[in-house]
Amino acid sequence: MNSDSIDLGRQVNIFSDDLRQLHFAELCNALYERELNRLSQKNTTNIGLLQREIGGLKHHIKRAAYNLLQHQAPLDIDIHNASWQHKQAAKCPAKLQEQDKTLAWYNRPFELGVCAAVYVNELGVEHIELDSIDRFDLEEAKLHLNKFGWFNFYGQALADQSDAKTSKTQLIKPSKSCLTAACCGHSWNHKGRSQPRLLTLRELMLSFSINWQTFR
């Protein structure tokens, strides 16, 4: 673990108030830089929506920074990048998934808003991304994710995707290895491990809702 990382389980309780404030400020700065860069590249003609997003940054960023310092996850924190850190697996853990186990996991009622994980393969670059369940249909054995849309309980995407030739998505059964990869932005290409991706503020907020004991 490098000097910029924090092992929450061992160290968070011994921070002085001054050090807490310093880390909080560094996390906020990193998140502001990330979000302002994202908004500057956003192609939108809805000025009102953009103004609301900018107006809400202060609240969401302070909340995210606070949760990063307080959340008891089995992960470290990179203060300068405001990101979760953990050793990366040699291969994407989603490839070890079995559809029967995915079916068994999702074939039962879930509370809306529960965090889910989606395997994404885009032009040969793989990662696991966090999303949330916002609709659930036991009769038709399908569920809907806030970003990625409908999947059946085997994890197969149901909606037509215009970029299906370049991108593949699959809902996966949550596990420690898969959720760790999603939280840390781990990615892989044909050569193996590749540069981790920075989570969006939305994904970061979703990571705080994970129950690392039950994954529900």
Side-chain angles (χ1 to χ4, degrees), residues 108-115 132-136 216:
R108 50 184 171 174
F110 277 78
E111 292 184 9
L112 296 184
V114 168
C115 188
S132 60
I133 299 173
D134 58 19
R135 293 179 65 183
F136 206 87
R216 291 176 63 87

Side-chain angles (χ1 to χ4, degrees), residues 34 60 63-64 67-68 71 73 75 84 111-118 128-134 145-148 179 182-184 197 199-212 215-216:
R34 186 188 310 173
H60 295 304
R63 182 181 170 195
N67 282 326
L68 275 169
H71 194 67
L75 307 170
W84 296 114
E111 292 184 9
L112 296 184
V114 168
C115 188
V118 176
I128 300 172
E129 191 166 330
L130 298 177
D131 204 345
S132 60
I133 299 173
D134 58 19
L145 301 184
N146 182 261
K147 175 181 176 180
F148 287 102
L179 292 178
C183 289
C184 296
R197 53 186 286 272
L199 270 62
T200 64
L201 187 57
R202 173 182 175 273
E203 290 177 85
L204 192 59
M205 298 299 287
L206 283 173
S207 73
F208 304 138
S209 68
I210 296 172
N211 183 323
W212 289 90
F215 308 126
R216 291 176 63 87

Side-chain angles (χ1 to χ4, degrees), residues 15-189:
F15 287 159
S16 68
D17 288 340
D18 289 344
L19 193 55
R20 283 177 183 269
Q21 292 176 11
L22 176 61
H23 287 155
F24 181 80
E26 288 189 79
L27 288 169
C28 286
N29 286 338
L31 289 168
Y32 267 116
E33 181 177 344
R34 186 188 310 173
E35 286 303 298
L36 290 175
N37 181 63
R38 178 184 66 83
L39 291 173
S40 71
Q41 299 178 31
K42 192 172 184 178
N43 184 16
T44 180
T45 57
N46 191 334
I47 302 302
L49 177 60
L50 184 60
Q51 289 175 329
R52 288 194 294 274
E53 285 193 67
I54 294 174
L57 280 183
K58 180 179 179 181
H59 168 75
H60 295 304
I61 284 175
K62 283 187 174 182
R63 182 181 170 195
Y66 175 81
N67 282 326
L68 275 169
L69 291 176
Q70 297 295 325
H71 194 67
Q72 297 296 312
L75 307 170
D76 300 329
I77 295 173
D78 185 323
I79 291 293
H80 297 318
N81 288 325
S83 60
W84 296 114
Q85 299 288 306
H86 199 274
K87 183 178 179 181
Q88 183 173 351
K91 296 182 179 180
C92 181
K95 289 190 170 182
L96 302 176
Q97 289 275 317
E98 299 177 14
Q99 286 192 336
D100 288 344
K101 292 184 178 180
T102 301
L103 172 64
W105 178 264
Y106 287 107
N107 193 24
R108 50 184 171 174
F110 277 78
E111 292 184 9
L112 296 184
V114 168
C115 188
V118 176
Y119 165 77
V120 180
N121 185 324
E122 189 168 9
L123 294 173
V125 178
E126 304 170 299
H127 71 270
I128 300 172
E129 191 166 330
L130 298 177
D131 204 345
S132 60
I133 299 173
D134 58 19
R135 293 179 65 183
F136 206 87
D137 192 330
L138 276 176
E139 290 185 1
E140 296 191 18
K142 65 180 184 178
L143 57 83
H144 187 272
L145 301 184
N146 182 261
K147 175 181 176 180
F148 287 102
W150 287 103
F151 292 84
N152 63 26
F153 289 172
Y154 286 102
Q156 300 165 330
L158 298 179
D160 291 334
Q161 298 178 6
S162 59
D163 59 348
K165 292 183 179 180
T166 60
S167 179
K168 173 187 175 183
T169 59
Q170 181 179 344
L171 177 68
I172 58 178
K173 176 182 178 294
S175 66
K176 184 176 180 180
S177 60
C178 288
L179 292 178
T180 294
C183 289
C184 296
H186 293 162
S187 62
W188 297 260
N189 57 29

